[in-house]
Amino acid sequence: MPAMLILGIESSCDETGVALYDAAGEGRLLAHALHSQIVMHRDYGGVVPELASRDHIRRTVPLLRKVMSDSGRALGEIDAVAYTQGPGLAGALLVGAAFAEGLAAALGRPAIPVHHLEGHLLSPLLSRRAPAFPFVALLVSGGHSQLMRVDGVGRYRRLGETLDDAAGEAFDKTAKLLGLPYPGGPALSALAERGRPGVCRFPRPMLDSGDFDFSFSGLKTAVLTRVREIGQPDERQCADIARGFQDAIVDVLVKKSLGALRRCGLGQLVVAGGVGANRELRRRLDAQAGKADITVFYPEFEFCTDNGAMIALAGALRFKAGIAQKTAGAFVVRPRWPLGELMG
Ligand code: KG4
Ligand code: ZN
């Protein structure tokens, strides 16, 4: 079977990702490479957009070289170049988009602009144990928290979303309150593992709202109030707070996900986005899956956070379905881009 090689480039935030995916037959990831800017942004307590853009410029070519050499393929064999068109930081997106469009034009191949969240949504399809359409997706990243019904490539219906902070954002902001380094999510969840359950109990926002929307900013405020009450929490108190915070978020995410599955009459749940790496969330969902007749799918840990493989995959599925490819050349990026608009 002749190969159908799709290169994927991700540069929407603080990770530069490049990957090569062979869309022929069952499809197969041939190689991928990633550079995370976490260390660079750490001193500032968050992502500095201009530094992010400049670093993407430095990293893209070396990562592409590595992917081509690891896969043993030549640039001339690439059939299409997929890249993240949005949402994300405008400057960072421009770097990846300009590079991808330029490369596609030089190769005389089409370019495929990809929605970053579509990449996250489809990322569990990179696993050997992959879900089949239709499924419900819980998308929990730094910028987004949504429940979606996924009927096929490009066929997404929003069931609910956060009204304020995204789950990852709530993790990051709460971590900052507790003096943990950026990015806060992994640090906070590591601390929570040492906390005692039930010692700090925080509200479960919108747990019983009857819809699939979330709200997490009140939870962050509750943590702030708790920290102020204590004054200078010691390590044990911080761990208990982290535990209470994580339990509250996980409770809401689990209950809403199960409700969405019931509403749609579906049995498959896909968890995608950075917060999908959270071990407590996985434990709780797996425990539920044991009781209810549902199956939960996660991307591999390395594909939970931003990466090029999910963009190459989303591009490959679009390329195969004959949707959304364009002649390389003029392009736009879409820093704000609701996923619902993909349905068009
Ligand atoms: O999907 P992602 O890499 O980037 C966006 O598209 O936003 O998600 C990053 C988010 C950050 O907020 C980070 O703190 C959070 O995912 N995160 C976690 C964990 N690992 C990453 N949150 C909770 N527990 C984790 N283990
Ligand atoms: Zn992301």
Side-chain angles (χ1 to χ4, degrees):
M1 192 183 328
M4 191 191 284
L5 299 188
I6 313 296
L7 184 74
I9 295 178
E10 155 65 29
S11 72
S12 66
C13 189
D14 57 350
E15 259 106 22
T16 323
V18 179
L20 190 64
Y21 189 88
D22 183 358
E26 296 270 280
R28 192 163 64 95
L29 182 65
L30 300 181
H32 68 102
L34 187 78
H35 175 78
S36 168
Q37 304 176 353
I38 283 178
V39 172
M40 186 179 79
H41 296 296
R42 186 165 272 163
D43 289 347
Y44 306 93
V47 178
V48 184
E50 182 58 25
L51 293 182
S53 311
R54 292 182 198 185
D55 202 59
H56 287 306
I57 293 173
R58 274 193 293 272
R59 305 293 172 181
T60 309
V61 170
L63 289 175
L64 174 64
R65 289 218 170 97
K66 176 162 174 28
V67 162
M68 298 319 291
S69 120
D70 287 355
S71 65
R73 304 301 176 117
L75 284 178
E77 294 177 74
I78 291 172
D79 291 289
V81 183
Y83 64 90
T84 306
Q85 186 181 27
L89 301 171
L93 289 166
L94 276 172
V95 175
F99 183 86
E101 290 278 353
L103 179 61
L107 295 172
R109 300 291 184 194
I112 310 172
V114 169
H115 194 295
H116 180 79
L117 297 183
E118 181 175 45
H120 277 303
L121 273 188
L122 300 175
S123 59
L125 301 179
L126 289 164
S127 307
R128 217 168 301 149
R129 178 179 162 273
F133 301 116
F135 53 78
V136 169
L138 170 68
L139 191 64
V140 271
S141 69
H144 302 267
S145 293
Q146 297 183 333
L147 273 160
M148 311 282 302
R149 181 189 163 108
V150 181
D151 284 291
V153 178
R155 297 172 57 207
Y156 314 118
R157 189 144 51 84
R158 193 181 62 213
L159 302 168
E161 68 182 335
T162 183
L163 304 180
D164 40 56
D165 290 355
E169 191 179 357
F171 265 96
D172 294 339
K173 288 179 175 170
T174 304
K176 218 171 185 174
L177 283 177
L178 295 176
L180 298 171
Y182 158 89
L188 184 77
S189 69
L191 184 62
E193 296 280 327
R194 303 203 298 274
R196 294 165 295 173
V199 173
C200 274
R201 209 181 144 77
F202 293 113
R204 270 75 173 139
M206 297 182 72
L207 187 66
D208 298 308
S209 60
D211 55 22
F212 305 114
D213 289 334
F214 314 97
S215 162
F216 294 122
S217 69
L219 187 53
K220 173 194 65 197
T221 312
V223 171
L224 179 62
T225 308
R226 188 65 203 250
V227 168
R228 287 206 175 127
E229 276 165 13
I230 299 175
Q232 293 257 306
D234 60 23
E235 174 140 6
R236 188 176 168 90
Q237 287 167 317
C238 280
D240 291 339
I241 292 173
R243 176 70 188 250
F245 166 84
Q246 178 168 274
D247 284 349
I249 285 222
V250 167
D251 262 3
V252 176
L253 294 178
V254 170
K255 180 163 181 192
K256 300 261 171 176
S257 301
L258 296 179
L261 284 171
R262 262 196 307 277
R263 173 77 56 89
C264 295
L266 295 177
Q268 298 184 104
L269 177 71
V270 156
V271 183
V275 182
N278 187 273
R279 287 184 193 278
E280 181 61 16
L281 177 63
R282 290 181 175 218
R283 268 197 293 269
R284 291 279 309 281
L285 283 172
D286 290 341
Q288 287 298 327
K291 287 185 222 155
D293 194 15
I294 60 168
T295 316
V296 189
F297 298 86
Y298 309 94
E300 307 287 340
F301 270 107
E302 62 181 334
F303 300 138
C304 278
T305 46
D306 293 348
N307 63 87
M310 67 183 193
I311 302 304
L313 169 74
L317 295 178
R318 293 195 147 245
F319 188 70
K320 270 180 113 166
I323 43 178
Q325 50 182 302
K326 65 183 277 296
T327 309
F331 66 91
V332 291
V333 293
R334 307 184 67 178
R336 290 178 182 278
W337 186 9
L339 186 58
E341 285 180 15
L342 267 190
M343 299 296 292

